[in-house]
Amino acid sequence: MDYLKSLNTAQRDAVENLEGPMMVIAGAGSGKTRVLTYRIAHLINNNVDPFHILALTFTNKAAKEMKKRIGELVGEGEAMNIWMGTFHSIFARILRMECDRIGYPRNFTIYDTQDSKSLIKTIVKEYHLDDKLYKPGIVYNRISSAKNNLISATAYAKNDDIIADDRMNNRPKMGEIYMEYQKRCFRSNAMDFDDLLFKTNVLLKDHPDVLHKYQHKFKFILVDEYQDTNYSQYIIIKRLAALNENLCVVGDDAQSIYGFRGANIQNILNFKKDYPDFKLFKLEQNYRSTKVIVDVANTIIANNVDQIKKKVWTENGEGDKIKLYKALTDNEEGRIIANSIFENHQQHQAKHLDFAILYRTNAQSRSFEEALRKLNIPYKIYGGLSFYQRKEIKDLLAYFRLTANFHDEESLKRIINYPKRGIGKTSLDHATVAAKEHGVSLWNILANPDKYSLPINNGTKSKISDFIALIKSFATKLETDNAYVLASNIASSCNLLKELYTDKTPEGLSRFENVQELLNGIKEFTDNAPKDEVRFLSDFLLDVALLTDADSDKPEDYNKVTLMTVHAAKGLEFPFVYVVGMEENLFPSQLSVNSRSDLEEERRLFYVAVTRAEKKAFLSYAVSRYRWGNLTQCEPSRFLEEIDERFIDADEFPAKRKQNTAGIQFENTANFLGRPANRTSAAPKKNLVPPNLKKISSTTGSPAVDLEKLKEGSNVLHARFGKGKVVKLEGMAPNVKATVYFPSAGQKQLLLKFAKLEVLD
């Protein structure tokens, strides 16, 4: 029990509380991972069987690090037996074992976002729909949001509110696409990422014996980053914990920043309602940052209404004040920050990897990249193309996936003629049509062209037959050869390695090296299997399908300045942090300033940004920057006003805002799908335009738009598009935008200072 001596009093209290529902509110840098790790070790040391412990994290990297530390405390063998991993990896594992109960084979494929969007694109094309209205990204997000709210394709098609919303957005076929998408996934023996949770909920709801089994198996449940859970995750946890209620959730409501992904802060705020006899533990000592940084973070988050109150403190040194830079333009902002990094790098003998520039949107990176390059400061854009999303990697993985699951349509279409083997698009189109007509998989059609009267010549039939035989030959070794042996065999036999090797361009060489690196990774995966266990290709495919962005991108591996969005920075820390673009309508985002819940999430995002800093934090804003192709004047962020000036080092403090937000009608804007029946739904939207902004004069000489008359639901007349109805208003003068639905032209987004709009009622 010596490990308990290294904990502070609050941490130790949380670790030693073994039974019953409990919530650990962990301030930034307060050691929450240590508490989770030590609590699991303490459970095992108190005779809890590790097979009965379920620990859920949000990255595989976090799970692996925790498992390693637990192994050091209680022994590697015990640690290996804990059910620990991401929500998706744990429940994919359960679905592999139980999927026959919901009609899926054990070898089902997991589609990534790119696969899903490709399938959606195909469906939109087959339905002869406008691909500008039904963009794959828009449709995918809509389906994803539905699944995260546990709305099936059938329920979606029967929901009058959803149908009306789709019609308003000029996408009335959305429900049909969702239905067809699910049918095609099922026909391909595939689940997308959201299905792993959606289908788990179906499994636990429709099969009480399965729920009973896992309620008895998981006697102790721990959930990291509970503030980031969505409704689907919340329901799974609630069901599994219902029997024993030995549930420990750890998180920080002040760092709930993923509302746009479906995360629901109410899950953590309402924990006390779900478990009235719960115990609350607060970790308030910050070990990461200076006193100034901690005090600034406290003053920021104090402005939020929806929160669990805590007072974070630190015994670290006072530290420097936060430096605030004012720039005339966004380009000058880039130069100021680059010069500051150059100077601090020299003065503090710091490494480049000690510095991070955090921005609200990816588009802001340009000015910083240019300025850093001019000073020869190496940098890395965090969140670029993942290794596993590169074309050559996706191509080889498609061979692996098709070998494991013949009915994986996306993989089949990707590789049937790569490397080229003379099977043309026309033949594939004929096969695709036949598959839809007969309701079978594309593989079945291609494997039996005569049975389905496929209109292709004998030469093409022979080439398809050779391809089918090749894949089948690989499949015979799925359960005999380990992952590396079979993967190497496939890479060589399908001629993909040869194709890449013959391309002697620098790009071709890079692609060949990437494939070699993938094979090296599979070799490591195979070699690191537990004793007496053989890891097969299907095991690797599951492992790689569940990687998150945080697992595959490692900014700490490069001695370069890190450039990233604040969202991407969550969970990371850097000695020197620059939070840039601190302007109204940028940070906070223009889309968030008219709703209190959205504005509070933006403030939590700012809190996350500041608390990434260990030694020094810097803030900056520009007086003007280019937006929508126009040089616009910028107003300093309201968040800057919320910081006590005694913590700020600035040549000039921003003037107080001329417009305050007291007159804005704040609303708790619900997701467009609405909350499920057992959750509180938000009130309908009202006119969100501040009443003190009467009119916007157009810079083009068109008549002023009267905002007193203009509101959501208003009928308007546009010189080009004719009559329409206002769907949404957002932003502040002079950049108020209106989303208007025109029967003649569909939905349009108009900047009111340029639009020639006449209010008709």
Side-chain angles (χ1 to χ4, degrees):
M1 301 293 183
D2 287 345
Y3 56 85
L4 294 176
K5 295 177 182 178
S6 65
L7 302 173
N8 65 36
T9 302
Q11 291 172 336
R12 182 163 182 163
D13 288 344
V15 166
E16 292 186 312
N17 185 74
L18 296 181
E19 296 186 341
M22 59 181 285
M23 179 164 64
V24 180
I25 296 298
S30 62
K32 73 174 178 62
T33 302
R34 171 176 286 228
V35 167
L36 265 176
T37 302
Y38 282 35
R39 187 171 189 276
I40 293 170
H42 200 60
L43 286 169
I44 294 171
N45 281 335
N46 280 271
N47 301 315
V48 173
D49 189 334
F51 280 106
H52 291 320
I53 299 173
L54 171 64
L56 296 166
T57 66
F58 272 81
T59 68
N60 295 297
K61 179 183 173 185
K64 288 176 182 176
E65 289 177 352
M66 287 172 62
K67 246 185 186 178
K68 180 182 178 184
R69 184 71 182 112
I70 293 167
E72 293 170 355
L73 295 171
V74 299
E76 189 176 327
E78 298 279 53
M80 291 295 294
N81 295 330
I82 303 165
W83 280 65
M84 178 181 285
T86 64
F87 279 87
H88 293 89
S89 64
I90 291 294
F91 297 116
R93 183 177 168 187
I94 289 174
L95 285 171
R96 290 280 186 207
M97 295 186 287
E98 312 288 350
C99 56
D100 61 305
R101 307 296 292 272
I102 56 174
Y104 272 83
R106 290 193 63 177
N107 65 335
F108 66 82
T109 296
I110 299 173
Y111 277 176
D112 63 18
T113 303
Q114 192 174 325
D115 298 322
S116 295
K117 289 181 180 179
S118 175
L119 175 55
I120 289 167
K121 188 176 181 180
T122 298
I123 294 170
V124 168
K125 184 178 180 181
E126 289 176 359
Y127 277 47
H128 305 292
L129 298 172
D130 186 344
D131 58 7
K132 292 183 175 61
L133 280 173
Y134 293 93
K135 291 180 179 178
I138 292 174
V139 178
Y140 173 79
N141 290 336
R142 185 77 166 178
I143 293 172
S144 175
S145 186
K147 289 181 180 179
N148 286 331
N149 282 278
L150 300 184
I151 299 172
S152 67
T154 303
Y156 189 105
K158 294 178 179 178
N159 188 304
D160 291 338
D161 291 336
I162 292 175
I163 293 169
D165 190 72
D166 283 339
R167 284 177 179 161
M168 181 69 75
N169 287 295
N170 207 26
R171 298 188 188 97
K173 298 291 186 181
M174 193 72 83
E176 292 180 42
I177 296 173
Y178 183 9
M179 187 76 74
E180 182 64 23
Y181 172 80
Q182 285 304 102
K183 287 179 182 176
R184 297 282 271 273
C185 285
F186 186 73
R187 197 171 77 194
S188 296
N189 292 342
M191 295 188 196
D192 65 20
F193 220 53
D194 298 306
D195 278 329
L196 297 176
L197 301 181
F198 183 89
K199 301 292 186 187
T200 298
N201 271 297
V202 171
L203 180 70
L204 299 179
K205 177 174 70 72
D206 293 350
H207 300 278
D209 58 318
V210 176
L211 174 61
H212 181 268
K213 171 182 174 180
Y214 288 101
Q215 284 178 334
H216 282 79
K217 181 173 185 62
F218 301 134
K219 295 180 180 178
F220 292 84
I221 301 174
L222 301 93
V223 185
D224 192 14
E225 305 285 11
Y226 190 64
Q227 77 282 347
D228 292 336
T229 53
N230 60 31
Y231 181 70
S232 183
Q233 291 163 329
Y234 163 83
I235 292 297
I236 291 173
I237 296 164
K238 194 161 177 58
R239 283 190 170 122
L240 290 176
L243 179 65
N244 299 296
E245 289 202 345
N246 291 325
L247 174 62
C248 170
V249 301
V250 181
D252 183 5
D253 57 293
Q255 297 185 64
S256 178
I257 60 173
Y258 293 120
F260 68 99
R261 290 184 188 168
N264 190 347
I265 192 175
Q266 296 303 320
N267 292 347
I268 195 167
L269 296 179
N270 290 334
F271 188 81
K272 59 186 177 184
K273 294 180 181 177
D274 291 332
Y275 306 94
D277 59 340
F278 87 112
K279 292 181 181 178
L280 175 64
F281 301 87
K282 294 182 180 181
L283 307 183
E284 297 172 302
Q285 183 175 358
N286 179 295
Y287 291 93
R288 175 189 299 158
S289 308
T290 65
K291 284 180 180 172
V292 165
I293 292 170
V294 168
D295 288 343
V296 167
N298 283 335
T299 63
I300 292 167
I301 206 63
N303 291 277
N304 273 8
V305 175
D306 291 335
Q307 63 170 298
I308 298 169
K309 294 291 185 182
K310 63 180 179 299
K311 182 70 174 178
V312 180
W313 58 277
T314 185
E315 291 182 344
N316 293 340
E318 186 72 19
D320 294 336
K321 290 183 178 183
I322 289 183
K323 180 70 177 176
L324 175 63
Y325 295 110
K326 173 186 176 182
L328 294 179
T329 66
D330 47 348
N331 284 333
E332 185 183 59
E333 182 185 34
R335 291 193 294 272
I336 290 172
I337 300 306
N339 285 329
S340 176
I341 290 174
F342 183 84
E343 291 169 5
N344 280 288
H345 175 255
Q346 299 294 326
Q347 291 174 7
H348 298 278
Q349 283 143 12
K351 298 177 181 178
H352 284 120
L353 59 80
D354 293 335
F355 296 85
I357 300 174
L358 308 183
Y359 34 72
R360 181 63 182 83
T361 66
N362 279 307
Q364 291 169 252
S365 71
R366 179 195 56 81
S367 62
F368 302 103
E369 290 186 70
E370 290 178 0
L372 291 169
R373 278 200 299 267
K374 287 176 181 176
L375 292 179
N376 292 318
I377 298 174
Y379 66 89
K380 177 182 183 291
I381 300 285
Y382 184 60
L385 185 66
S386 165
F387 176 79
Y388 291 98
Q389 293 300 320
R390 298 178 192 276
K391 179 187 181 301
E392 61 276 13
I393 302 302
K394 291 279 287 183
D395 289 337
L396 186 51
L397 287 175
Y399 273 98
F400 297 165
R401 285 173 26 171
L402 190 62
T403 299
N405 172 16
F406 294 157
H407 304 291
D408 182 346
E409 187 170 310
E410 290 306 304
S411 293
L412 177 55
K413 289 191 296 185
R414 186 179 188 99
I415 61 172
I416 190 168
N417 198 40
Y418 181 78
K420 290 186 183 299
R421 50 179 58 91
I423 303 172
K425 181 178 181 299
T426 302
S427 299
L428 193 60
D429 287 344
H430 286 315
T432 302
V433 170
K436 187 176 182 182
E437 288 177 352
H438 293 280
V440 298
S441 72
L442 187 59
W443 174 274
N444 281 335
I445 298 294
L446 294 171
N448 304 279
D450 294 332
K451 176 181 177 181
Y452 294 102
S453 304
L454 202 60
I456 57 177
N457 60 46
N458 289 332
T460 303
K461 283 182 185 178
S462 177
K463 291 166 186 172
I464 291 174
S465 178
D466 290 345
F467 174 75
I468 296 290
L470 179 68
I471 300 300
K472 283 183 175 179
S473 71
F474 297 151
T476 61
K477 301 172 183 176
L478 274 169
E479 296 182 6
T480 56
D481 291 357
N482 69 39
Y484 176 69
V485 171
L486 181 52
S488 299
N489 180 20
I490 292 172
S492 299
S493 301
C494 74
N495 287 329
L496 190 145
L497 275 178
K498 181 181 178 183
E499 175 88 2
L500 296 175
Y501 184 75
T502 55
D503 182 355
K504 298 301 183 182
T505 65
E507 294 79 12
L509 179 61
S510 176
R511 287 191 286 267
F512 180 78
E513 289 173 345
N514 285 338
V515 169
Q516 292 293 345
E517 182 59 30
L518 175 64
L519 295 174
N520 291 339
I522 299 174
K523 183 70 165 67
E524 183 180 359
F525 174 80
T526 306
D527 291 347
N528 288 344
K531 190 177 180 181
D532 301 325
E533 177 184 315
V534 178
R535 284 181 168 171
F536 296 110
L537 190 62
S538 56
D539 299 317
F540 173 76
L541 287 172
L542 177 60
D543 190 67
V544 77
L546 297 168
L547 287 175
T548 66
D549 290 343
D551 299 319
S552 54
D553 286 320
K554 302 179 180 66
E556 66 270 21
D557 288 349
Y558 307 90
N559 189 19
K560 300 177 180 179
V561 174
T562 298
L563 276 66
M564 65 200 319
T565 64
V566 184
H567 281 102
K570 188 169 177 291
L572 303 176
E573 56 189 46
F574 303 87
F576 303 88
V577 170
Y578 294 80
V579 187
V580 300
M582 293 302 304
E583 299 138 34
E584 279 297 296
N585 300 326
L586 184 57
F587 202 175
S589 164
Q590 184 175 356
L591 301 178
S592 305
V593 296
N594 290 320
S595 157
R596 179 170 63 79
S597 61
D598 291 345
L599 184 61
E600 291 201 351
E601 177 151 324
E602 287 288 299
R603 189 177 285 111
R604 292 194 295 270
L605 190 60
F606 183 36
Y607 174 86
V608 166
V610 171
T611 54
R612 298 311 92 199
E614 298 172 349
K615 296 179 180 179
K616 298 184 75 170
F618 306 80
L619 305 173
S620 67
Y621 66 97
V623 176
S624 64
R625 72 173 60 238
Y626 275 93
R627 304 189 73 181
W628 303 305
N630 296 310
L631 185 64
T632 58
Q633 297 302 304
C634 304
E635 189 176 2
S637 170
R638 70 187 71 193
F639 296 155
L640 295 178
E641 291 183 25
E642 296 172 356
I643 304 174
D644 192 320
E645 290 185 6
R646 64 194 172 95
F647 298 127
I648 298 293
D649 173 13
D651 296 330
E652 176 186 345
F653 284 99
K656 295 296 182 182
R657 287 163 47 80
K658 295 176 183 177
Q659 305 278 1
N660 65 48
T661 59
I664 296 181
Q665 180 69 51
F666 288 118
E667 299 291 341
N668 183 19
T669 52
N671 184 287
F672 67 84
L673 293 167
R675 297 266 176 97
N678 64 331
R679 305 291 268 183
T680 305
S681 60
K685 282 187 178 181
K686 300 176 183 177
N687 178 19
L688 301 183
V689 178
N692 57 339
L693 300 179
K694 303 297 185 184
K695 293 186 178 182
I696 297 178
S697 297
S698 169
T699 59
T700 61
S702 59
V705 179
D706 191 339
L707 284 183
E708 280 192 326
K709 293 182 179 179
L710 189 69
K711 60 183 183 295
E712 292 179 4
S714 291
N715 291 307
V716 294
L717 181 66
H718 187 273
R720 178 180 172 191
F721 304 126
K723 290 183 179 180
K725 182 174 290 244
V726 177
V727 177
K728 186 178 182 182
L729 289 169
E730 53 193 342
M732 299 181 67
N735 294 315
V736 176
K737 288 191 290 186
T739 302
V740 184
Y741 175 70
F742 297 98
S744 64
Q747 188 164 295
K748 302 290 183 183
Q749 195 172 71
L750 306 172
L751 197 59
L752 293 186
K753 66 182 179 182
F754 299 123
K756 298 178 180 180
L757 274 187
E758 179 185 345
V759 182
L760 298 178
D761 54 17

